[in-house]
Amino acid sequence: QTTIKIATISPLSGGQSNLGTQIRNGVQLAVNEYAAQFKKAGFNLQLVPYDDQADPATGTAAARKIAADNQILAVVGTLNSGVAIPASAALAPSNLVMVSPANTANQVTDRGLANMNRIVARDDSQGPAGANFITDTLKAKKAYVLNDKTAYGEGLAGEVEKALKAKGVTISGSEGTEEKSDFSSIVAKIKLTKPDAIYFGGIYNQIGVFIKQLRGAGINTPVVGGDGLDSSELPVIIGKAGANNVYYTTVAAPLEALPAAKTFAASFQKTFNTPAQGFGAFGYDAAKVTLQGILDAARANGGKAPSRKQVLDTIRKGTYKGLLSGEVSFNSVGDRKAATLYVIKLTAGKAALETSLSVKPPKN
Amino acid sequence: MIKTTVHPGAAAPASGGSILEVDALTKEFGGLTAVNSVTMHVPDRSIVSVIGPNGAGKTTFFNMITGIYAPTRGSIRLAGRELVGMRPDQVTEAGIARTFQNIRLFSSMTSEENIMVGRNSRLKSTFVDAVLRTRRFHESEHEAREAARIMLDFVGLSKWRNEIATNLPYGDQRKLEIARALATTPKLILLDEPAAGMNPRETEDLKALIRRVRDELGVTVCLIEHDMRLVMTLSEYITVLDYGTKISEGLPHQVRNDPAVMEAYLGRGAAAGEYGKEEASQ
Amino acid sequence: MSHLSTHLTTAPTPAAAPDTTGTPMLALTDIHSYYDHIHALKGITLNAYEGEIVALIGGNGAGKTTTLRTVSGMMKPRTGTLSYLGENIAGKPAHQTMQMGMSHVPEGRRIFAQLTVRENLEVGAYTITDKRLIEERVQEGFAYFPRLKERENQLGGTMSGGEQQMLAIARALMVNPRLLLLDEPSMGLSPLFVEAIFDIIVKLNKEHNTTVLLVEQNANMALAIAHRAYVLQTGEMKLSGKASDIAKDESVRKAYLGDE
Amino acid sequence: MELSVLLPFIVNVIIGGLVLGFVYAIIALGYTMVYGVLQLINFAHSEVFITGAVVGFEIFRILENSAMNGYLKLLLALVAAMIVSGLLNVLIERLAYRPLRGAPRLVPLITAIGVSLILQDTLRFLEGLQGRFDLTYTLPAGFGNKFCAAEGSTCAPLGNFLRTIGVDVQLKDVILVVVALVSLSVLNYVVNRTRLGKAIRAVSQDRVTAGLMGIDSNRMISATFLIGGALGGVSGVLFGMKFGTINAYSGFDPGIIAFTAAVLGGIGSIPGAVLGGLLLGVIQNLIGVTNIFGNLLGLANLGTIDASYSKIGPFIVLVLILIFKPTGLLGKSNVEKV
Amino acid sequence: MTVASPAKPAVRRPLVKPDRTIWLVLFFVVTSILLLVSHETDIMKNLGPLGDVLRNKVVEALVVSLFLANVLFAYLWKAANWAKLLVGIGSLLFVLPLAGQADTSLLDLSIQIMIFAALALGLNIVVGLAGLLDLGYVAFFAVGAYTWSIFASPRFSEVLKYYGANAGSTGSGTLAIGLVLTAVAAGSMLYIRGLHTRTAPTRLSNLSFLLAGFGLFAGITLVGRSVLVLFSGSAEAVANGINPGFFWLFLALSVMTAALVGVLIGLPVLKLKGDYLAIITLGLGEVIRVLANNLGLYTAGSQGITPIGSASVPWFNSLAGALGFRPEQYYLLFLYVLVLIVIAVILLVNVRLDNSRIGRAWIAIRDDEIAAQAMGVPLMQTKLIAFATGASFAGVMGMIFAAKQTFISPESFNLLQSITVLSMVVLGGMGSFSGVILGAAVVTLLNLRILPGLGEASANVSWIPQEVNPANFNRFIFGSILVAMMLLRPEGLLPNARRTRELHHEDDQEDKSGEGNASGLKAGGDVYSAGLATIKEDDKTGGSR
Ligand SMILES: Nc1ncnc2c1ncn2[C@@H]1O[C@H](COP(=O)(O)OP(=O)(O)OP(=O)(O)O)[C@@H](O)[C@H]1O
Ligand SMILES: Nc1ncnc2c1ncn2[C@@H]1O[C@H](COP(=O)(O)OP(=O)(O)OP(=O)(O)O)[C@@H](O)[C@H]1O
Ligand SMILES: CC(C)C[C@H](N)C(=O)O
Ligand SMILES: [Mg+2]
Ligand SMILES: [Mg+2]
């Protein structure tokens, strides 16, 4: 039996380890599911997780190590665009394919690397979608845009702001903050400027705390965010009572909506003793794309273990159905061709589908 | 030959003028006037002493001269050049070196290295010289090492050359401090209680050393001491401070017999004849 | 000889020699102490009887300070026995020996620079809990050294060298020790205060029967007030005997007293 | 913009800063205590304090559905956090610092960092066993309410007044300030008025000599770590209560700011730490709203100083203050006689 | 009167190291073979179970570490010089690149190790020699990295475009004004400095100096702005960054910029003592990172700058090609060689400075600021030189780091990095050059090889539950190793001789009575700031009247 490995690169220790572990676990779940199929095809499937500590240099070093391990045929990762960019560049010469479950920054695929793909929406498609929602559904005339000063949050918020301005919405404030706990000055500013909507590009455990303090100050303005908010923890952090009027866009269907998603959530909980969140689902999907791609490539290779190049080409060309986030196929630079963005609304802590929008990358 | 580069003053005869002129120097710490308008002129190539009861302001006086404290008022001139406002290292460069009441040697350095630091300010080599190892660098290093050798010989500590300075016996540490200070080629050296912690025998050796500093190196010496035997036999001129104020000054026998000094400082044991015995024989 | 005689006339007279026949209060037997690899004490034997003033003299680096440190527990002897009040205290840390009625004025004064003069004294009385007694002793210290009272609230670190020395001594006296270890108490003091210090030592010894182990460079004075004396040289005990005999010894006079 | 809008705005920003400042202050004291006695920047203190926050979280979680009085729950959480954090701190000192007593000061600094890393992963692991990463406080009912909101309560007029001028103060903020003030005064008393405090200060200056005064320096150091840790525990619970959600890694940032506060106030000074904490809290918040004033005044450059700069505000203030007062606001100058 | 008997003299055994030439060569040969074989897939396939062992990631990490230990042993062991040279050059210039050909990650790893080694050497000057605790050291690394990245990436053309679009009234007139202002201000500053060496500074002269400083700043800003505006036309020409030929110029520029920033940061803060300095440098390090995160025009903010060019050296590339390297490895190989040379230079500079007047001055101020000053050592100047020298090492390595990564963003320059470098210095042995290099190697190997290796090796071991997979405990393991190493070897892995003496004699104020000696009886013990804030504000050193 030939051993085939796939690798993950994500932060497994440090402050973002919860998200990174979600990705790793999601991938693990997919690997567990596919192990039997691989076995049948004569392969011994394994997952090797790498910790990038959310640090670009560490991530690059991991990528180069992965490149040196010939049994690894594909990589799922990373969490941070800042790591994905140099890591994918380091993988590119060895034709090692990378499928990102989380990186939304435009630059990730704009460089046109053959090996870099992602199943999430780009900032410049998710951003305008969020902006559209703010103008069309929320009918906001004045918006306050916040970000977390990371590549993701700032990139996304930047796109939102651009789209909002284009639609004639007044931006009553636009700023970033690395603060994780105390938002009193921002809350005061919001109270002062009275926007109709707030957009916050960032991750749930920062935004959740912010919303809690916002609601605590008696401000009920709607808050909109991106897929970084897709977590069952969000309403817990905000507190059931205040978790109203919160919206986020994500590519993964609400876990309750899809039967597949339900089983995924259940087996995730069972295997890892922790509830699945957005990034777990994305990781799971990205892994399924990867694994299916490898299987396809092997089939095309006459049942023998495929080469990395074959895997890379197959994945870029393939179409993958039945994922938690629907159907995935990639355009020429590795962006997901068409995706449905679901807008989820929190009401009294309960997540429910508000609307769904279809988004496309700029190139096709 | 090198000796003269270390101490050019040795060759020159005493000029007879004042090398250090301190005028109306005052230091206040909050409400406390530690030094109160003290004036003192130190003749070139002399050995003078500052004495006075504990807390009289002697060390503070030294600290002002060496730039460690900024005076509240007053002026300090070395060979006519105003020193007030200079940093300690500038004062040293101008030509005043000192030792400390509580020994302050560089604890991770050998005796030799301690002295080489003392020589530092006289070396010509620069950062770039050090990196490129230019001729000037080698000359400087040689000079520093020579200075260390000469000074160690001078104070008789050659056997401790490579010993960590703070492992030396107490008395030798004091001498090492003197050697380090001399390596800066001072015109004037200030010694703060050089004989503290020495027994009478060792104090005798020290006395000889201080004389040689003046006679052989041509360095003017100003010292603070409580050992009256040393002070009275060594100094050519004595200034007495009490509560920051100069209460007396003059030649040793004058000071010794000054009732104010006896009252404030020498105490009941100060039988007038006692300390002077050796002075006559010198 | 002339210096000695003048000093002797000015030095206070010691109390009559105490009984030295019973068991000593403090007994060092064949003590070896090290600073890492430096062999500082090479088999020291020394006794002090209750009520005695014992002087310890020797040149620079002879090991006087090390001896006191070993006794007070600042350092542990590597071998040898050390008994105090009949108890073996070798290796007992300083804070425990201090609670057994010792007090040590260390070399270099070691004033708490950031505490005021009064606080320094109060810390010196740490083992006393009675507030009134502490206050009494503080006033006693002020009486010995009026300068300290003047500077009651000055930070210890800003005091002049001699003032710090006074403070160190006053601090050690706070507990009214049974055994007082003095390391060069007269260092840095003006002549007036040197005499005062010796007066105090004798007074304590006479009035409180305090045992004193005295290290002094001012050997003339030390030998004048001591009952017995030891002479140390490079970590070894060279001589021991009655102080007056030591003071007369030719070699001692030459080596330590500055006689030519 | 009229004053009637701007005034409550500014007041809110400052009040927010003050409350934050009290949290910093009390974290800062944990640093200051340890620093005072060992001259060690105890990098592990941020985790000691987060441990307190985790303990508080667990107590509130366990008692969530009990009918116990809210203040009693809080008291329980505080006490438990104090005990756990205090003992943890003592343990850390025993294992990671005490063996290094004689080493250069940077060495325990590195072990402190090591311990900090160890604790982060350990805390995450322990909570992870139960499937948790972010820990969200479930506060007793009413703590999150507006201060004195209930009509008819004795303080309702004050509450009404605050409401009319548009100031947001929640009950938990008031509780926080009260708890902080109480801990601060107790600490101040202990350190400056008691025999223990004097002994600790003596040990902090010279351990060997303190030994000569009969003081057991190791015991004093342990006591200091116990007190510092207990304060860390209190600050952890207050922190969790105030901001709601913490995780194993969230101690680091406030820890750094708190230490900055300690330095700003003068390392080793208790009132200094408090002053520094309050100042930094307020400054952080004021920097966060500088852009509003920039815009109002038409100063484009000020307009770009927004919340993203508030993290470095404290440091800039620190530089400015230390240039003029090199030993911090209330720090005693470090005197030694030359 | 009794006379005691003299004690026996202490016996000391001489320490002679046996010659280990043979062992060294043997070790070199064995580890080289292991390293090369384990990276040769074809051979590995035919090795059977041995291949499996070698493939194990922990074993692999160990092999790499052991191989690198060659260099260490060549340095440490007593052996013939030819053997030392053979092993040193052989492993660094032949075996390692050869293995790197098969496994690019080895090149990446080695470059990273040397980058950190250079950082550690730089920080060692600041902390280890001069005794100034700098917790924001990574700021200089960032400055170097951005200096190159801004110009060698599309950023530069963005900047030019921006200035082209926002020229305002800037033009050649502005340039002239700027140049004049700069010259006048710089001239007066030099003049006042010259004056100060001759006479004591007065309040007026200090004030004018400050004023001239502002003038200089304004002048340089004007010049910079007008140059950018004037060149904005060529934005298109540099769409992908400036000509790689400028790499060499920038190597010097990054050194200078970092040194300059070092001086600028140092000027206001180096007066502070000990931990005041520590926390303020920590803060300034953060300030630099936050600025990088906010000055989006120049740094692209959180999005980071990419792609960043590297030098292009055609002859080197053809050489590498001839040696069988793949094109995508050329730039790494080039950087590897470059970094080897740079670190050799840095090491040389370090050693030479240490044995010089300036090195002695550093140690002197570390031991006792007041005494040093009283011996004529100018405190500020000496500290600034330390700061600037340390910064310049970081600067040049920042540039190489940027070229290696091809992408940089502010995340790479956070506080944790500064702390990591500090831990390398302390772990290796403060003040010891070989020590801090070893410290850098150990920490980097741990972070990039050994810990990930543990994670990989255990990922598919069924009895290790998911929750305790070492990959999730990098911090825990790293922390434990830090603590353990420090407890076992507080003086560092390869301590500096001077440091050791100190550690065992003076430095501690601890009562070691329990251990039978009293190493620490002297007060002091303030390691990284031996100086004391002796002087109260109102009696500032050398202040004016
Ligand atoms: N920084 C300071 N703050 C307050 N008072 C000070 C300071 N420095 C010195 N003093 C006081 O000034 C007086 C003079 O001190 P100084 O050290 O000059 O005395 P001295 O003559 O050298 O005494 P000694 O012979 O004891 O060394 C002393 O009373 C001392 O307490
Ligand atoms: N802290 C220390 N570290 C290392 N060696 C020391 C230390 N203190 C003393 N020594 C060494 O131990 C030996 C005995 O020194 P000690 O201080 O006991 O002598 P002493 O008789 O008190 O001398 P002094 O009259 O100079 O005070 C000397 O060789 C000295 O160099
Ligand atoms: C959600 C994030 C943690 C990461 C983000 N998707 C990125 O591209 O960097
Ligand atoms: Mg004095
Ligand atoms: Mg002694």
Side-chain angles (χ1 to χ4, degrees), chain E residues 245-452:
Chain E
F246 281 111
F247 187 86
W248 304 105
L249 173 66
F250 270 81
L251 220 44
L253 269 182
S254 61
V255 167
M256 288 192 284
T257 340
L260 185 72
V261 173
V263 171
L264 287 182
I265 288 187
L267 269 176
V269 306
L270 279 177
K271 286 210 184 81
L272 302 172
K273 316 279 173 185
D275 295 304
Y276 288 93
L277 180 64
I279 202 75
I280 219 160
T281 48
L282 181 154
L284 289 173
E286 280 291 281
V287 168
I288 298 263
R289 183 185 65 81
V290 169
L291 283 183
N293 216 355
N294 278 302
L295 300 179
L297 172 63
Y298 306 98
T299 64
S302 57
Q303 301 298 307
I305 300 183
T306 193
I308 298 164
S310 177
S312 105
V313 191
W315 64 264
F316 185 89
N317 290 351
S318 32
L319 179 71
L323 291 174
F325 285 89
R326 297 187 297 279
E328 80 270 4
Q329 291 176 325
Y330 293 171
Y331 89 101
L332 275 184
L333 188 68
F334 167 75
L335 289 177
Y336 173 76
V337 175
L338 178 70
V339 95
L340 262 184
I341 296 171
V342 172
I343 197 144
V345 171
I346 288 179
L347 193 57
L348 193 75
V349 171
N350 259 308
V351 172
R352 290 189 159 180
L353 287 180
D354 187 36
N355 295 314
S356 77
R357 173 181 159 198
I358 190 81
R360 283 191 297 274
W362 284 335
I363 295 170
I365 59 172
R366 184 191 73 194
D367 282 356
D368 189 332
E369 281 193 3
I370 295 202
Q373 223 178 351
M375 289 306 119
V377 175
L379 276 193
M380 214 38 200
Q381 187 187 327
T382 310
K383 288 180 176 181
L384 276 179
I385 291 177
F387 232 56
T389 314
S392 59
F393 296 167
V396 66
M397 281 306 175
M399 171 169 173
I400 292 176
F401 176 75
K404 185 204 104 187
Q405 289 293 109
T406 71
F407 168 89
I408 59 161
S409 66
E411 286 157 39
S412 297
F413 310 106
N414 57 25
L415 176 58
L416 213 58
Q417 303 282 345
S418 293
I419 290 179
T420 309
V421 179
L422 183 68
S423 71
M424 291 169 180
V425 173
V426 180
L427 204 67
M430 248 182 295
S432 144
F433 302 129
S434 45
V436 299
I437 294 179
L438 179 63
V442 167
V443 171
T444 315
L445 269 174
L446 264 177
N447 273 331
L448 297 187
R449 279 282 150 159
I450 299 173
L451 297 184

Side-chain angles (χ1 to χ4, degrees), chain A residues 20-286:
Chain A
T21 311
Q22 281 278 334
I23 292 180
R24 200 268 318 269
N25 289 349
V27 175
Q28 180 78 56
L29 215 54
V31 166
N32 293 350
E33 278 176 26
Y34 271 75
Q37 277 191 59
F38 271 72
K39 188 135 254 158
K40 245 197 337 226
F43 305 119
N44 172 20
L45 178 65
Q46 287 187 356
L47 167 71
V48 269
Y50 284 80
D51 178 17
D52 63 27
Q53 299 172 24
D55 169 46
T58 311
T60 316
R64 294 210 201 274
K65 274 197 82 191
I66 291 170
D69 184 343
N70 287 316
Q71 295 176 325
I72 298 180
L73 294 188
V75 181
V76 176
T78 63
L79 178 70
N80 305 90
S81 301
V83 180
I85 292 170
S88 56
L91 292 174
S94 1
N95 292 317
L96 195 48
V97 69
M98 180 155 154
V99 180
S100 162
N103 305 120
T104 52
N106 300 342
Q107 270 185 355
V108 169
T109 51
D110 279 353
R111 296 163 303 155
L113 292 178
N115 65 326
M116 183 74 229
N117 310 288
R118 60 172 144 206
I119 64 158
V120 284
R122 297 164 55 97
D123 284 345
D124 56 8
S125 47
Q126 189 176 189
N132 282 345
F133 178 75
I134 289 174
T135 51
D136 300 353
T137 312
L138 297 179
K139 308 271 183 247
K141 296 270 170 291
K142 194 154 100 178
Y144 205 101
V145 184
L146 289 163
N147 71 72
D148 63 0
K149 276 295 185 194
T150 68
Y152 166 65
E154 196 170 9
L156 184 56
E159 296 292 348
V160 171
E161 188 177 337
K162 208 156 64 179
L164 284 176
K165 275 186 183 150
K167 295 193 153 216
V169 174
T170 320
I171 306 295
S172 69
S174 166
E175 60 192 331
T177 175
E178 293 179 58
E179 179 61 55
K180 299 262 180 334
S181 305
D182 179 61
F183 295 94
S184 54
S185 65
I186 295 178
V187 168
K189 278 197 268 191
I190 287 173
K191 204 168 184 182
L192 186 72
T193 54
K194 300 200 177 64
D196 306 324
I198 299 164
Y199 192 91
F200 200 146
I203 312 282
Y204 69 87
N205 52 9
Q206 184 193 24
I207 302 178
V209 176
F210 163 74
I211 298 178
K212 181 176 192 149
Q213 290 174 23
L214 190 71
R215 299 290 184 251
I219 304 172
N220 226 354
T221 315
V223 179
V224 187
D227 46 9
L229 285 186
D230 188 359
S231 165
S232 51
E233 283 287 303
L234 180 65
V236 181
I237 293 175
I238 303 174
K240 295 268 175 333
N244 291 311
N245 247 347
V246 177
Y247 307 86
Y248 55 83
T249 54
T250 172
V251 286
L255 294 182
E256 298 77 16
L258 269 178
K262 258 200 186 127
T263 30
F264 162 76
S267 70
F268 194 103
Q269 172 74 44
K270 195 168 140 252
T271 320
F272 306 111
N273 183 32
T274 166
Q277 302 172 15
F279 288 106
F282 301 156
Y284 177 76
D285 271 5

Side-chain angles (χ1 to χ4, degrees), chain B residues 166-171 197 202, chain C residues 35 38-41 58-67 69 107 183-184 215 217 232, chain E residues 504-506 518-522:
Chain B
T166 44
N167 286 355
L168 265 53
Y170 194 84
E202 290 156 345
Chain C
Y35 294 95
I38 298 175
H39 196 167
L41 296 186
N60 276 150
K64 308 179 294 292
T65 298
T66 311
T67 307
R69 286 176 177 169
E107 185 178 68
D183 201 339
E184 306 200 18
V215 168
Q217 296 292 9
L232 263 174
Chain E
H504 290 293
H505 295 299
E506 307 306 331
S519 304
L521 289 166
K522 287 213 169 82

Side-chain angles (χ1 to χ4, degrees), chain B residues 10-192:
Chain B
S15 65
S18 292
I19 179 106
L20 180 76
E21 294 169 344
V22 176
D23 283 307
L25 198 61
T26 299
K27 178 72 197 176
E28 288 164 8
F29 295 110
L32 178 80
T33 309
V35 174
N36 192 359
S37 191
V38 171
T39 297
M40 180 171 109
H41 291 205
V42 180
D44 195 14
R45 304 195 60 176
S46 61
I47 298 177
V48 303
S49 298
V50 179
I51 63 172
N54 293 123
K58 307 177 293 294
T59 300
T60 307
F61 186 64
F62 270 21
N63 283 341
M64 285 189 284
I65 296 176
T66 51
I68 288 177
Y69 287 161
T72 312
R73 274 181 300 280
S75 92
I76 305 163
R77 281 181 314 279
L78 180 74
R81 183 169 164 201
E82 180 62 58
L83 299 184
V84 172
M86 283 193 183
R87 295 190 310 264
D89 54 289
Q90 293 169 322
V91 172
T92 307
E93 227 178 303
I96 300 184
R98 73 173 291 176
T99 65
F100 295 93
Q101 183 167 4
N102 299 314
I103 297 177
R104 307 187 79 118
L105 288 165
F106 303 121
S107 57
S108 61
M109 293 184 171
T110 62
S111 308
E112 182 183 38
E113 288 167 327
N114 264 279
I115 300 180
M116 286 170 83
V117 171
R119 189 71 198 160
N120 245 4
S121 59
R122 303 289 172 216
L123 300 181
K124 301 233 158 42
S125 73
T126 63
F127 183 89
V128 178
D129 288 322
V131 171
L132 300 180
R133 295 271 136 132
T134 59
R135 189 142 136 227
R136 193 156 53 171
F137 167 80
H138 290 290
E139 282 167 7
S140 286
E141 285 300 286
H142 180 76
E143 181 188 337
R145 221 164 280 279
E146 270 302 294
R149 192 184 60 75
I150 292 170
M151 289 333 307
L152 282 171
D153 273 353
F154 186 80
V155 298
L157 293 179
S158 293
K159 62 169 174 177
W160 293 122
R161 176 191 308 270
N162 292 318
E163 185 60 48
I164 290 293
T166 44
N167 286 355
L168 265 53
Y170 194 84
D172 287 350
Q173 292 192 23
R174 286 219 173 272
K175 287 189 195 159
L176 182 59
E177 266 208 334
I178 296 176
R180 184 179 68 176
L182 287 174
T184 66
T185 324
K187 299 188 180 86
L188 167 69
I189 186 169
L190 307 178
L191 306 174
D192 197 345

Side-chain angles (χ1 to χ4, degrees), chain D residues 35 101-102 104-107 113 120-122 124-125 207-208 259 263 267 308-309 315 327 333-334 336 338, chain E residues 127 275-276 279 283 290 294 419 430 472-473 475-476 490 503 508-510 526-528 532-534 536:
Chain D
Y35 185 87
R101 264 317 139 61
R105 286 170 45 196
L106 280 184
V107 176
I113 290 167
Q120 288 178 355
D121 268 1
T122 308
R124 187 209 55 195
F125 172 70
R207 280 195 286 281
V208 177
F259 189 69
V263 173
I267 319 182
S308 57
Y309 287 91
F315 297 121
T327 49
S333 57
N334 191 10
E336 186 189 316
V338 180
Chain E
V127 177
D275 295 304
Y276 288 93
I279 202 75
V290 169
N294 278 302
I419 290 179
M430 248 182 295
N472 284 26
F473 287 89
R475 284 188 185 215
F476 183 91
L503 187 59
D508 39 354
Q509 47 161 285
E510 178 49 17
D526 188 350
V527 173
Y528 43 81
L532 318 137
T534 315
K536 291 175 86 173

Side-chain angles (χ1 to χ4, degrees), chain A residues 12 14-15 17-18 149 175-176 179 181-182 184-185 188-189 191-192 204-205 209 213 216-217 236-237 273-274, chain D residues 1 5 9 13 20 124 129 131 133-134 136 146 168 170 239 243 245 249 284-285 288-289 291-292 306-308:
Chain A
L12 298 176
S17 55
N18 54 329
K149 276 295 185 194
E175 60 192 331
E179 179 61 55
S181 305
D182 179 61
S184 54
S185 65
K189 278 197 268 191
K191 204 168 184 182
L192 186 72
Y204 69 87
N205 52 9
V209 176
Q213 290 174 23
V236 181
I237 293 175
N273 183 32
T274 166
Chain D
M1 219 167 282
V5 193
F9 166 71
V13 169
L20 178 67
R124 187 209 55 195
L129 285 181
F133 182 87
D134 291 306
T136 301
K146 289 260 148 62
D168 303 313
Q170 294 172 1
F239 188 84
F243 301 119
T245 299
Y249 302 94
Q284 221 176 349
N285 272 4
V289 300
N291 53 350
I292 296 279
D306 59 24
S308 57

